Amino acid sequence: MKLKEKMTFMDVVWRLILYVWALSILFPLVWVFYESLKSNPEFFKDIWSLPKKQQWSNYVIAWTEYGFGQSLLNTLYYVGGSLVVSLFFTTLNAYALTRMEFKGRNLIWGLIMLSLFLPGINALVPQYVIMRELHLTNSLTGLILLSALGESVFYLMLLGGFMKSLPKDLEESAHMDGASIFQVFWRVIVPLSTPGIVTVAIFKFLGYYNNFMGPFIYLSDPEKYTIAVQMYQANKMMEFTADWVTLFAGVMIAMVPSIIVFMLFQRMIMQGATLGAVKG
């Protein structure tokens, strides 16, 4: 009886913790949204009051005059290109390192694991020199190549662990039927690894979309800024204009793609991450 009462008490505690955690995430989003519908005098008068009249024109100004529209299009181009190229190479690398037997495979895995202990900031200078010599600075295409070809150890380990759990019999049967290595990879391994690939794709999307350092370093033309850099520039402008309600509208515009992706794929993320953890 005491154990049952104790479990009931702990259930209440955990539920309260979850409710507080959910509110701590949702409240700032709701607050930014209704602040974006105010006028500047209303905002400076009382930051907690609701808007008397919705100022949807703030979104138009943020989209056009503050450049959030162009930067959002730039970001979608950068994220889309980086995602397609990097996902192909990550899937191919994970397949080669987990499903193929060749000399030096353990050494390659060891070097990959060793790179986890090296700070990524150490590569900034040589990367910039290479990008400059190849005339790829101030270019969204160059930024796509830099982001896509720089393999992430975390994603490689996540997808590699998922592929390693797949049964060998299917692959051997395909080889016996005359399938080549690439045919086995494309027609057998990729379809079976869809949950893991989707999970990695969504993590990559969020990483690329929120990437600030790369675009900030390599892009100098304001017409090519991504949403993260544009947000930084708009925030710097507030030192002189104090047009905070328009900045809040820009924040809401910037959050829309991430919210849509989360709402559409949250179940698939959980299934892919959980299944990969159990099987790997």
Side-chain angles (χ1 to χ4, degrees), residues 55-106:
Q55 303 291 331
W56 295 103
S57 59
N58 294 335
Y59 286 84
V60 178
I61 297 173
W63 184 271
T64 56
E65 296 183 15
Y66 281 76
F68 281 94
Q70 182 62 45
S71 63
L72 183 61
L73 297 178
N74 295 338
T75 304
L76 294 178
Y77 170 69
Y78 159 65
V79 172
S82 301
L83 190 61
V84 171
V85 178
S86 68
L87 195 61
F88 173 76
F89 282 108
T90 299
T91 308
L92 199 63
N93 292 336
Y95 171 71
L97 290 172
T98 57
R99 309 294 297 186
M100 298 176 64
E101 298 288 343
F102 57 90
K103 292 183 178 180
R105 188 180 70 169
N106 293 332

Side-chain angles (χ1 to χ4, degrees), residues 33 47 71 106 109:
F33 174 67
I47 63 172
S71 63
N106 293 332
W109 265 119

Side-chain angles (χ1 to χ4, degrees), residues 3 18 20 87 109 113 117 183 190 192 256 260 272:
L3 180 60
L18 289 174
V20 172
L87 195 61
W109 265 119
M113 294 296 296
F117 299 94
Q183 287 175 329
V190 170
L192 292 175
V256 167
I260 292 175

